[in-house]
Amino acid sequence: MVDYHDLKLMKVFANASSPGSKQHRYLKKQIQEAETGRVDIDDEWIGNYYENGFDSKEEGIIKKNAGETSILALAFLLVHHYGNKIKQISISTSDFAVVEIKKKIMDYSSKHNLLNVPTINPISFLSTDVLLARAFRMGMIGETELIYLRKSTHRKRVICIVRNNDSTVVPVDTVMETEDFLQLLKGNESYDIIF
């Protein structure tokens, strides 16, 4: 799709992860070996990366942040390849790690000119709280449904902007109990839930 070299793609994946993390260390070692010419890049490097580079949450079943990293890398590759033909890519998630992963990919790619992706790009996120706030505002769900739907994330990080009457804004980035989240939605303030 993108006439991409495996080594460059490895670097995108490596820098999407936190320095010192298992996946970062795994790919850095693979990159160093490939750059020195000691080892050719295996055609199965992505599969090996998922198998060996991620910590498992439950007995090897769920690889923490593997899906988020893959989806974001794919989104960046699509924007790189198709440019302004792509108007929007929305990723539904409740894992705030995707915001950090996106930032890391952008920072590294910009510094090393790996991807042709503008700073203001069409990759956005649609979190559970954004969807719940929208449904509540539109009257599609009531308080009882909102409490039920948010029960698995009863206490969750919320990022929003509250607008004052004088058009100034108050950025809010805090962990919110469901009851507090509901009070925000029911209040008189004008707000935008960002994540």
Side-chain angles (χ1 to χ4, degrees), residues 88-92 102 121-126:
Q88 184 174 356
I89 298 175
S90 295
I91 300 170
S92 293
K102 179 183 178 186
N121 57 64
I123 302 170
S124 62
F125 305 107
L126 195 57

Side-chain angles (χ1 to χ4, degrees), residues 15-34:
N15 288 284
S17 57
S18 298
S21 66
K22 185 175 180 180
Q23 61 263 38
H24 187 81
R25 289 191 315 269
Y26 177 82
L27 277 181
K28 279 297 194 186
K29 180 180 177 202
Q30 302 301 312
I31 290 166
Q32 288 170 347
E33 289 177 353

Side-chain angles (χ1 to χ4, degrees), residues 92-106:
S92 293
T93 182
S94 288
D95 188 346
F96 191 75
V98 296
V99 175
E100 293 300 316
I101 294 169
K102 179 183 178 186
K103 183 181 179 320
K104 288 174 189 166
I105 292 173
M106 278 300 299

Side-chain angles (χ1 to χ4, degrees), residues 147-164:
I147 291 166
Y148 175 78
L149 292 168
R150 202 172 187 261
K151 71 178 179 184
S152 65
T153 56
H154 181 65
R155 187 172 157 74
K156 185 173 174 270
R157 182 176 181 184
V158 174
I159 301 173
C160 65
I161 293 174
V162 178
R163 298 184 189 288
N164 294 322

